[in-house]
Coordinates of all heavy atoms in Angstrom, one line a residue:
R13 N 0.8 -1.2 0.0 CA 0.0 0.0 0.0 C 0.9 1.2 0.0 O 1.8 1.3 0.8 CB -0.9 -0.1 1.2 CG -1.9 1.0 1.2 CD -2.9 0.7 2.3 NE -3.1 1.9 3.1 CZ -3.9 2.1 4.0 NH1 -4.7 1.1 4.4 NH2 -4.1 3.2 4.6
R14 N 0.6 2.2 -0.8 CA 1.4 3.4 -1.0 C 0.5 4.6 -0.6 O -0.7 4.6 -0.8 CB 1.9 3.5 -2.4 CG 2.6 2.4 -2.9 CD 4.0 2.7 -3.2 NE 4.7 1.6 -3.7 CZ 6.0 1.4 -3.4 NH1 6.6 2.1 -2.6 NH2 6.6 0.4 -3.9
P15 N 1.2 5.7 -0.2 CA 0.4 6.9 0.2 C 0.0 7.6 -1.1 O 0.6 7.4 -2.2 CB 1.4 7.7 0.9 CG 2.7 7.3 0.4 CD 2.6 5.8 0.1
M16 N -1.0 8.4 -1.0 CA -1.5 9.1 -2.2 C -1.0 10.5 -2.3 O -1.7 11.5 -2.3 CB -3.0 9.2 -2.2 CG -3.7 7.8 -2.5 SD -3.5 7.3 -4.2 CE -2.1 6.3 -4.2
Y17 N 0.4 10.6 -2.4 CA 1.0 11.8 -2.7 C 2.2 11.6 -3.5 O 2.8 10.5 -3.4 CB 1.2 12.7 -1.4 CG 1.9 12.1 -0.3 CD1 3.2 12.1 -0.1 CD2 1.1 11.5 0.7 CE1 3.8 11.5 1.0 CE2 1.7 11.0 1.9 CZ 3.1 11.0 2.0 OH 3.6 10.4 3.1
S18 N 2.6 12.5 -4.2 CA 3.7 12.3 -5.2 C 5.0 12.9 -4.9 O 6.0 12.6 -5.5 CB 3.2 12.9 -6.6 OG 3.0 14.3 -6.4
T19 N 5.1 13.7 -3.9 CA 6.3 14.4 -3.6 C 6.6 14.2 -2.1 O 5.7 14.0 -1.3 CB 6.3 15.9 -3.9 OG1 5.2 16.5 -3.2 CG2 6.1 16.1 -5.4
W20 N 7.8 14.4 -1.7 CA 8.2 14.3 -0.3 C 7.7 15.6 0.3 O 8.0 16.7 -0.1 CB 9.8 14.2 -0.2 CG 10.3 14.1 1.2 CD1 9.9 13.1 2.1 CD2 11.3 14.9 1.7 NE1 10.6 13.3 3.2 CE2 11.5 14.4 3.1 CE3 12.0 16.0 1.3 CZ2 12.4 15.0 3.9 CZ3 12.9 16.6 2.2 CH2 13.1 16.0 3.5
V21 N 6.9 15.5 1.4 CA 6.3 16.7 2.0 C 7.0 17.1 3.3 O 6.5 17.9 4.1 CB 4.8 16.4 2.2 CG1 4.0 16.3 1.0 CG2 4.6 15.2 3.2
G22 N 8.3 16.7 3.5 CA 9.1 17.2 4.5 C 9.2 16.4 5.8 O 10.0 16.8 6.6
D23 N 8.6 15.3 5.9 CA 8.7 14.4 7.1 C 9.9 13.6 6.9 O 10.0 12.8 5.9 CB 7.4 13.6 7.2 CG 7.5 12.7 8.4 OD1 8.6 12.4 9.0 OD2 6.4 12.2 8.8
G24 N 10.8 13.7 7.8 CA 12.1 12.9 7.7 C 12.0 11.4 7.6 O 12.8 10.8 7.1
G25 N 10.9 10.9 8.2 CA 10.7 9.5 8.2 C 10.1 9.0 6.9 O 10.1 7.7 6.6
E26 N 9.6 9.9 6.0 CA 9.0 9.4 4.8 C 9.9 8.7 3.8 O 9.6 7.6 3.3 CB 8.3 10.6 4.1 CG 7.1 11.1 4.8 CD 6.5 12.3 4.1 OE1 7.2 12.9 3.2 OE2 5.4 12.6 4.4
R27 N 11.1 9.3 3.6 CA 12.0 8.7 2.7 C 12.4 7.3 3.2 O 12.5 6.4 2.4 CB 13.2 9.6 2.5 CG 14.3 9.1 1.5 CD 13.8 9.1 0.1 NE 13.6 10.5 -0.4 CZ 13.0 10.7 -1.6 NH1 12.6 9.7 -2.4 NH2 12.9 11.9 -2.0
A28 N 12.7 7.2 4.4 CA 13.1 5.9 5.0 C 12.0 4.9 5.0 O 12.3 3.7 5.1 CB 13.6 6.1 6.4
S29 N 10.8 5.3 4.9 CA 9.6 4.4 5.0 C 9.5 3.5 3.8 O 8.9 2.4 3.8 CB 8.4 5.2 5.1 OG 8.1 5.8 3.9
G30 N 10.1 3.8 2.7 CA 10.0 3.0 1.5 C 8.8 3.4 0.6 O 8.5 2.7 -0.3
Y31 N 8.2 4.5 0.9 CA 7.0 4.9 0.1 C 7.3 5.4 -1.3 O 6.5 5.5 -2.1 CB 6.2 6.0 0.8 CG 5.5 5.6 2.1 CD1 5.2 6.5 3.0 CD2 5.2 4.3 2.3 CE1 4.5 6.2 4.2 CE2 4.5 3.9 3.5 CZ 4.2 4.9 4.4 OH 3.5 4.5 5.5
Y32 N 8.6 5.7 -1.5 CA 9.0 6.3 -2.8 C 9.9 5.3 -3.5 O 10.5 4.4 -2.9 CB 9.7 7.6 -2.5 CG 8.9 8.6 -1.9 CD1 8.8 8.7 -0.5 CD2 8.0 9.4 -2.7 CE1 7.9 9.6 0.1 CE2 7.1 10.3 -2.0 CZ 7.1 10.4 -0.7 OH 6.2 11.3 -0.1
P33 N 10.0 5.5 -4.8 CA 10.9 4.5 -5.5 C 12.3 4.5 -4.9 O 12.8 5.6 -4.5 CB 11.0 5.1 -6.9 CG 9.6 5.9 -7.1 CD 9.4 6.4 -5.7
P34 N 12.9 3.4 -4.7 CA 14.2 3.3 -4.0 C 15.3 4.2 -4.6 O 16.1 4.7 -3.9 CB 14.6 1.8 -4.2 CG 13.4 1.1 -4.5 CD 12.4 2.1 -5.2
S35 N 15.2 4.4 -5.9 CA 16.3 5.2 -6.5 C 15.9 6.7 -6.5 O 16.6 7.6 -7.1 CB 16.5 4.8 -8.0 OG 15.3 4.9 -8.7
G36 N 14.7 7.0 -5.9 CA 14.3 8.4 -5.9 C 13.4 8.7 -7.2 O 13.2 7.8 -8.0
G37 N 13.1 9.9 -7.4 CA 12.3 10.2 -8.6 C 10.8 10.1 -8.4 O 10.4 9.8 -7.3
E38 N 10.2 10.2 -9.6 CA 8.7 10.1 -9.5 C 8.2 8.7 -9.6 O 8.8 7.8 -10.1 CB 8.2 11.0 -10.7 CG 8.5 12.4 -10.6 CD 7.8 13.3 -11.6 OE1 6.8 12.8 -12.2 OE2 8.2 14.3 -11.8
W39 N 6.9 8.6 -9.3 CA 6.2 7.3 -9.4 C 6.1 6.9 -10.9 O 6.1 7.8 -11.7 CB 4.8 7.4 -8.9 CG 4.7 7.6 -7.4 CD1 4.5 8.7 -6.7 CD2 4.9 6.6 -6.4 NE1 4.5 8.5 -5.4 CE2 4.8 7.2 -5.2 CE3 5.2 5.3 -6.5 CZ2 4.9 6.5 -4.0 CZ3 5.4 4.6 -5.3 CH2 5.2 5.2 -4.0
N40 N 6.0 5.7 -11.1 CA 5.7 5.2 -12.5 C 4.2 5.1 -12.6 O 3.6 4.1 -12.4 CB 6.4 3.8 -12.7 CG 6.2 3.3 -14.1 OD1 5.4 3.8 -14.9 ND2 7.0 2.3 -14.5
W41 N 3.6 6.3 -13.0 CA 2.2 6.4 -13.1 C 1.5 5.4 -14.1 O 0.5 4.9 -13.8 CB 1.8 7.8 -13.4 CG 2.3 8.8 -12.5 CD1 3.2 9.8 -12.7 CD2 1.9 9.0 -11.1 NE1 3.5 10.6 -11.6 CE2 2.7 10.1 -10.6 CE3 1.1 8.3 -10.2 CZ2 2.6 10.6 -9.3 CZ3 1.0 8.8 -8.9 CH2 1.7 9.8 -8.4
E42 N 2.2 5.2 -15.2 CA 1.6 4.3 -16.2 C 1.5 2.9 -15.7 O 0.6 2.2 -16.0 CB 2.4 4.4 -17.5 CG 2.3 5.7 -18.2 CD 0.8 6.1 -18.5 OE1 0.1 5.2 -19.0 OE2 0.5 7.2 -18.3
A43 N 2.5 2.4 -15.0 CA 2.5 1.1 -14.4 C 1.4 1.0 -13.4 O 0.7 -0.1 -13.3 CB 3.8 0.7 -13.8
I44 N 1.2 2.0 -12.6 CA 0.1 2.0 -11.6 C -1.2 1.8 -12.3 O -2.1 1.0 -11.9 CB 0.1 3.2 -10.7 CG1 1.4 3.2 -9.8 CG2 -1.1 3.3 -9.8 CD1 1.7 4.5 -9.1
K45 N -1.5 2.7 -13.3 CA -2.7 2.7 -14.0 C -2.9 1.3 -14.7 O -4.1 0.8 -14.7 CB -2.8 3.8 -15.1 CG -2.9 5.1 -14.5 CD -3.2 6.2 -15.5 CE -2.0 6.6 -16.3 NZ -2.2 7.7 -17.2
K46 N -1.9 0.7 -15.2 CA -2.0 -0.6 -16.0 C -2.5 -1.7 -15.0 O -3.2 -2.6 -15.5 CB -0.6 -0.9 -16.5 CG -0.6 -2.2 -17.3 CD 0.8 -2.5 -17.8 CE 0.9 -3.8 -18.5 NZ 2.2 -4.1 -19.0
H47 N -2.1 -1.6 -13.8 CA -2.5 -2.7 -12.8 C -3.8 -2.4 -12.1 O -4.1 -3.2 -11.2 CB -1.3 -2.9 -11.9 CG -0.1 -3.5 -12.5 ND1 0.9 -2.7 -13.0 CD2 0.2 -4.7 -13.0 CE1 1.8 -3.5 -13.6 NE2 1.4 -4.7 -13.6
C48 N -4.5 -1.4 -12.4 CA -5.8 -1.1 -11.8 C -6.9 -1.1 -12.8 O -6.8 -0.5 -13.9 CB -5.7 0.3 -11.1 SG -4.5 0.4 -9.8
G49 N -8.0 -1.8 -12.5 CA -9.2 -1.7 -13.3 C -9.8 -0.3 -13.3 O -10.3 0.1 -14.3
F50 N -9.8 0.3 -12.2 CA -10.3 1.6 -12.0 C -9.7 2.2 -10.8 O -9.2 1.5 -9.9 CB -11.8 1.7 -11.9 CG -12.4 0.9 -10.7 CD1 -12.5 1.6 -9.5 CD2 -12.8 -0.4 -10.8 CE1 -13.0 0.9 -8.4 CE2 -13.3 -1.1 -9.7 CZ -13.4 -0.4 -8.5
I51 N -9.7 3.6 -10.7 CA -9.1 4.3 -9.5 C -10.1 5.3 -9.2 O -10.4 6.2 -9.9 CB -7.8 4.9 -9.8 CG1 -6.8 3.8 -10.2 CG2 -7.3 5.6 -8.5 CD1 -5.4 4.4 -10.7
V52 N -10.7 5.2 -7.9 CA -11.6 6.2 -7.4 C -10.8 6.8 -6.2 O -10.3 6.1 -5.4 CB -12.9 5.7 -6.9 CG1 -13.7 6.8 -6.3 CG2 -13.6 5.0 -8.0
Q53 N -10.6 8.1 -6.2 CA -9.8 8.8 -5.2 C -10.5 9.8 -4.5 O -11.2 10.6 -5.2 CB -8.6 9.4 -6.0 CG -7.6 10.1 -5.1 CD -6.5 10.7 -6.0 OE1 -6.2 10.3 -7.1 NE2 -5.9 11.7 -5.4
F54 N -10.4 9.9 -3.2 CA -11.0 10.9 -2.4 C -9.9 11.7 -1.7 O -8.9 11.2 -1.3 CB -11.9 10.3 -1.3 CG -13.1 9.5 -1.9 CD1 -12.9 8.1 -2.2 CD2 -14.3 10.1 -2.2 CE1 -14.0 7.4 -2.7 CE2 -15.3 9.4 -2.8 CZ -15.2 8.0 -3.0
H55 N -10.2 13.0 -1.5 CA -9.3 13.9 -0.7 C -10.2 14.8 0.0 O -11.1 15.4 -0.6 CB -8.3 14.6 -1.6 CG -7.1 15.1 -0.8 ND1 -6.0 14.4 -0.9 CD2 -7.0 16.1 0.0 CE1 -5.1 15.0 -0.1 NE2 -5.7 16.1 0.5
S56 N -9.9 15.1 1.3 CA -10.6 16.0 2.1 C -9.9 17.4 2.0 O -8.7 17.4 2.2 CB -10.8 15.5 3.5 OG -11.7 16.4 4.2
C57 N -10.6 18.4 1.8 CA -10.0 19.8 1.8 C -9.3 20.1 3.1 O -8.4 21.0 3.1 CB -11.0 20.8 1.4 SG -11.6 20.5 -0.3
D58 N -9.7 19.5 4.2 CA -9.2 19.8 5.5 C -8.2 18.7 6.0 O -8.0 18.5 7.1 CB -10.2 20.1 6.5 CG -11.1 18.9 6.8 OD1 -11.2 18.0 6.0 OD2 -11.8 18.9 7.9
D59 N -7.6 17.9 5.0 CA -6.7 16.8 5.4 C -5.6 17.4 6.2 O -4.9 18.4 5.8 CB -6.2 16.1 4.2 CG -5.4 14.9 4.5 OD1 -4.6 14.9 5.4 OD2 -5.6 13.9 3.7
C60 N -5.3 16.9 7.4 CA -4.3 17.4 8.3 C -2.9 16.8 8.0 O -1.9 17.3 8.6 CB -4.7 17.1 9.7 SG -5.0 15.4 10.1
L61 N -2.8 15.9 7.1 CA -1.6 15.2 6.8 C -1.1 15.4 5.4 O 0.1 15.5 5.1 CB -1.6 13.7 7.1 CG -1.9 13.3 8.6 CD1 -2.1 11.9 8.7 CD2 -0.8 13.9 9.5
V62 N -2.0 15.4 4.4 CA -1.6 15.5 3.0 C -2.2 16.7 2.4 O -3.5 16.7 2.4 CB -2.0 14.2 2.2 CG1 -1.6 14.3 0.8 CG2 -1.4 12.9 2.9
P63 N -1.5 17.6 1.9 CA -2.1 18.8 1.3 C -3.0 18.5 0.1 O -2.7 17.5 -0.7 CB -0.9 19.6 0.8 CG 0.3 19.1 1.6 CD 0.0 17.7 1.9
V64 N -4.1 19.2 -0.1 CA -5.0 18.9 -1.2 C -4.3 19.0 -2.5 O -4.7 18.3 -3.4 CB -6.3 19.9 -1.1 CG1 -5.9 21.3 -1.4 CG2 -7.4 19.3 -1.9
A65 N -3.3 19.9 -2.6 CA -2.6 20.0 -3.9 C -2.0 18.6 -4.3 O -1.9 18.3 -5.5 CB -1.5 21.1 -3.8
E66 N -1.5 17.8 -3.3 CA -1.0 16.5 -3.6 C -2.1 15.6 -4.2 O -1.8 14.8 -5.1 CB -0.3 15.9 -2.4 CG 0.9 16.6 -1.9 CD 2.1 16.5 -2.9 OE1 2.1 15.5 -3.7 OE2 3.0 17.3 -2.9
G67 N -3.2 15.6 -3.6 CA -4.3 14.8 -4.1 C -4.6 15.2 -5.6 O -4.9 14.3 -6.4
R68 N -4.6 16.4 -5.9 CA -4.9 16.9 -7.2 C -3.8 16.4 -8.2 O -4.1 16.0 -9.3 CB -5.1 18.4 -7.3 CG -6.3 18.9 -6.6 CD -6.3 20.4 -6.4 NE -7.4 20.8 -5.7 CZ -7.5 22.0 -5.1 NH1 -6.5 22.9 -5.2 NH2 -8.6 22.4 -4.4
T69 N -2.6 16.5 -7.7 CA -1.4 16.0 -8.6 C -1.5 14.5 -8.9 O -1.4 14.1 -10.0 CB -0.1 16.3 -7.9 OG1 0.0 17.8 -7.7 CG2 1.1 15.8 -8.6
V70 N -1.8 13.8 -7.9 CA -2.0 12.3 -8.0 C -3.2 12.0 -9.0 O -3.1 11.2 -9.9 CB -2.1 11.6 -6.7 CG1 -2.5 10.1 -6.9 CG2 -0.8 11.7 -6.0
A71 N -4.3 12.7 -8.8 CA -5.5 12.5 -9.6 C -5.2 12.8 -11.1 O -5.6 12.0 -12.0 CB -6.6 13.3 -9.1
E72 N -4.5 13.8 -11.3 CA -4.1 14.2 -12.7 C -3.2 13.1 -13.3 O -3.4 12.7 -14.4 CB -3.5 15.6 -12.7 CG -3.2 16.0 -14.2 CD -2.6 17.4 -14.2 OE1 -2.9 18.2 -13.3 OE2 -1.9 17.7 -15.2
A73 N -2.2 12.7 -12.6 CA -1.3 11.7 -13.1 C -1.9 10.4 -13.3 O -1.6 9.7 -14.3 CB -0.1 11.6 -12.1
L74 N -2.9 10.0 -12.5 CA -3.5 8.7 -12.7 C -4.8 8.7 -13.5 O -5.3 7.7 -13.9 CB -3.8 8.1 -11.3 CG -2.7 7.7 -10.4 CD1 -3.2 7.3 -9.0 CD2 -1.9 6.7 -11.1
G75 N -5.3 9.9 -13.7 CA -6.6 10.0 -14.4 C -7.7 9.4 -13.6 O -8.6 8.8 -14.2
S76 N -7.6 9.5 -12.3 CA -8.6 8.8 -11.4 C -9.9 9.6 -11.4 O -9.9 10.8 -11.8 CB -8.0 8.8 -9.9 OG -7.8 10.1 -9.4
E77 N -10.9 8.9 -10.9 CA -12.2 9.6 -10.6 C -12.0 10.2 -9.3 O -11.9 9.6 -8.2 CB -13.3 8.5 -10.5 CG -13.5 7.8 -11.9 CD -14.6 6.8 -11.7 OE1 -15.6 6.9 -11.0 OE2 -14.4 5.7 -12.4
Y78 N -11.8 11.5 -9.3 CA -11.4 12.3 -8.1 C -12.5 13.1 -7.5 O -13.2 13.8 -8.2 CB -10.2 13.2 -8.6 CG -9.7 14.1 -7.4 CD1 -8.9 13.5 -6.4 CD2 -9.8 15.4 -7.5 CE1 -8.4 14.3 -5.4 CE2 -9.3 16.2 -6.5 CZ -8.6 15.7 -5.5 OH -8.0 16.5 -4.5
Q79 N -12.6 13.0 -6.2 CA -13.6 13.7 -5.5 C -13.0 14.4 -4.3 O -12.3 13.8 -3.5 CB -14.8 12.9 -5.0 CG -15.6 12.2 -6.0 CD -16.7 11.4 -5.4 OE1 -17.4 11.8 -4.5 NE2 -16.9 10.2 -5.9
E80 N -13.2 15.8 -4.2 CA -12.7 16.5 -3.0 C -13.9 16.7 -2.1 O -15.0 17.1 -2.6 CB -12.2 17.9 -3.4 CG -10.7 17.8 -3.9 CD -10.2 19.2 -4.2 OE1 -10.7 20.2 -3.8 OE2 -9.1 19.1 -4.9
L81 N -13.8 16.4 -0.9 CA -14.8 16.5 0.1 C -14.4 17.4 1.2 O -13.2 17.7 1.4 CB -15.2 15.1 0.6 CG -15.4 14.0 -0.4 CD1 -15.6 12.7 0.4 CD2 -16.7 14.3 -1.1
D82 N -15.4 18.0 1.9 CA -15.1 18.8 3.0 C -15.4 18.1 4.4 O -16.3 17.2 4.4 CB -16.0 20.1 3.0 CG -15.6 21.0 1.9 OD1 -14.4 21.2 1.7 OD2 -16.5 21.5 1.2
G83 N -14.6 18.3 5.4 CA -14.9 17.9 6.7 C -14.5 16.4 7.0 O -15.0 15.9 8.0
H84 N -13.6 15.8 6.3 CA -13.3 14.4 6.6 C -11.8 14.3 7.1 O -11.4 13.1 7.3 CB -13.5 13.6 5.3 CG -14.9 13.4 4.9 ND1 -15.7 12.5 5.6 CD2 -15.7 14.0 4.0 CE1 -16.9 12.5 5.0 NE2 -16.9 13.4 4.1
S85 N -11.1 15.4 7.2 CA -9.7 15.4 7.7 C -8.9 14.3 6.9 O -8.9 14.4 5.6 CB -9.7 15.0 9.2 OG -8.3 15.1 9.7
H86 N -8.3 13.3 7.5 CA -7.5 12.3 6.8 C -8.3 11.0 6.7 O -7.7 10.0 6.6 CB -6.2 12.1 7.5 CG -5.2 11.4 6.7 ND1 -4.6 11.9 5.6 CD2 -4.5 10.2 6.9 CE1 -3.7 11.1 5.1 NE2 -3.7 10.0 5.9
F87 N -9.6 11.1 6.7 CA -10.5 9.9 6.6 C -10.2 8.9 7.6 O -10.1 7.7 7.3 CB -10.4 9.3 5.2 CG -10.9 10.2 4.1 CD1 -10.0 11.0 3.3 CD2 -12.2 10.4 3.8 CE1 -10.4 11.9 2.4 CE2 -12.7 11.3 2.8 CZ -11.8 12.0 2.1
F88 N -10.2 9.4 8.9 CA -10.0 8.4 10.0 C -11.3 7.6 10.3 O -11.2 6.6 11.0 CB -9.6 9.2 11.2 CG -8.2 9.8 11.1 CD1 -8.0 11.2 11.0 CD2 -7.1 9.0 11.0 CE1 -6.8 11.8 10.8 CE2 -5.8 9.6 10.8 CZ -5.7 11.0 10.8
E89 N -12.4 8.1 9.8 CA -13.7 7.5 10.0 C -14.3 7.1 8.6 O -14.0 7.7 7.6 CB -14.7 8.4 10.7 CG -14.2 9.0 12.0 CD -14.2 7.9 13.1 OE1 -15.0 6.9 13.1 OE2 -13.3 8.0 14.0
P90 N -15.1 6.0 8.7 CA -15.8 5.6 7.4 C -16.6 6.8 6.9 O -17.1 7.6 7.6 CB -16.7 4.5 7.9 CG -16.1 4.0 9.2 CD -15.5 5.2 9.8
F91 N -16.8 6.8 5.6 CA -17.7 7.9 5.0 C -18.5 7.3 3.8 O -18.1 6.4 3.1 CB -16.7 9.0 4.5 CG -15.7 8.6 3.5 CD1 -15.9 9.0 2.2 CD2 -14.5 7.9 3.8 CE1 -14.9 8.7 1.2 CE2 -13.6 7.6 2.9 CZ -13.8 8.0 1.6
E92 N -19.7 7.8 3.7 CA -20.7 7.3 2.8 C -20.2 7.4 1.3 O -20.6 6.5 0.5 CB -22.0 8.1 3.0 CG -23.2 7.5 2.2 CD -23.5 6.1 2.6 OE1 -23.3 5.7 3.7 OE2 -24.0 5.4 1.7
E93 N -19.5 8.4 0.9 CA -19.1 8.5 -0.5 C -18.4 7.3 -1.0 O -18.5 6.9 -2.2 CB -18.3 9.8 -0.7 CG -19.1 11.1 -0.5 CD -19.2 11.5 1.0 OE1 -18.7 10.8 1.9 OE2 -19.7 12.6 1.2
I94 N -17.6 6.7 -0.2 CA -16.8 5.5 -0.6 C -17.7 4.3 -0.9 O -17.6 3.5 -1.8 CB -15.6 5.2 0.3 CG1 -14.7 4.2 -0.4 CG2 -16.1 4.5 1.6 CD1 -13.3 4.0 0.3
V95 N -18.7 4.2 0.0 CA -19.7 3.1 -0.2 C -20.5 3.3 -1.5 O -20.7 2.4 -2.3 CB -20.7 3.0 1.0 CG1 -21.8 2.0 0.8 CG2 -19.9 2.8 2.3
E96 N -20.9 4.6 -1.7 CA -21.6 4.9 -3.0 C -20.7 4.6 -4.2 O -21.2 4.0 -5.2 CB -22.0 6.4 -3.0 CG -23.1 6.7 -1.9 CD -23.3 8.2 -1.7 OE1 -22.8 9.0 -2.6 OE2 -24.0 8.5 -0.8
A97 N -19.5 5.0 -4.2 CA -18.6 4.7 -5.3 C -18.4 3.2 -5.6 O -18.5 2.8 -6.7 CB -17.2 5.4 -5.0
L98 N -18.3 2.5 -4.5 CA -18.1 1.0 -4.7 C -19.4 0.4 -5.2 O -19.4 -0.5 -6.0 CB -17.7 0.4 -3.3 CG -16.3 0.7 -2.9 CD1 -16.0 0.2 -1.5 CD2 -15.3 0.1 -3.9
R99 N -20.5 0.8 -4.7 CA -21.8 0.3 -5.3 C -21.9 0.6 -6.7 O -22.3 -0.2 -7.5 CB -23.0 1.0 -4.5 CG -23.3 0.3 -3.2 CD -24.6 0.9 -2.7 NE -24.8 0.4 -1.3 CZ -25.1 1.1 -0.3 NH1 -25.3 2.4 -0.5 NH2 -25.2 0.6 0.9
A100 N -21.6 1.8 -7.1 CA -21.7 2.2 -8.6 C -20.7 1.3 -9.4 O -21.1 0.9 -10.5 CB -21.3 3.7 -8.7
K101 N -19.5 1.1 -8.9 CA -18.6 0.2 -9.7 C -19.1 -1.2 -9.7 O -19.0 -1.9 -10.8 CB -17.2 0.3 -9.0 CG -16.5 1.6 -9.2 CD -16.2 1.9 -10.7 CE -15.5 3.2 -10.8 NZ -15.4 3.5 -12.3
A102 N -19.7 -1.7 -8.7 CA -20.2 -3.1 -8.6 C -21.4 -3.2 -9.6 O -21.6 -4.3 -10.2 CB -20.6 -3.4 -7.3
Q103 N -22.1 -2.2 -9.9 CA -23.3 -2.2 -10.7 C -22.9 -2.0 -12.2 O -23.7 -2.2 -13.1 CB -24.3 -1.3 -10.3 CG -24.9 -1.6 -8.9 CD -25.9 -0.6 -8.4 OE1 -26.0 0.5 -9.0 NE2 -26.5 -0.9 -7.3
S104 N -21.7 -1.5 -12.4 CA -21.3 -1.2 -13.9 C -20.7 -2.4 -14.6 O -20.4 -3.4 -14.0 CB -20.4 0.0 -13.9 OG -19.2 -0.3 -13.3

């Protein structure tokens, strides 16, 4: 599982965590898209950990179905929009 941001956002533990390609550089967006049937991405405008600009960057790179929501912070609690998205995908 990888985080949904594309750049190092300043946390010293991030690089050591292995979240980024070992050699540095950008994600291989085409490889990620190739291995996914679909990508639905949510970002909360008040996310306390990942800036909304990162969510937008990832959405553009992946061509994901992107939704910005208000009031969900870092999605620490379940939210209805994800259930609705999964239902829609299951019915398509």
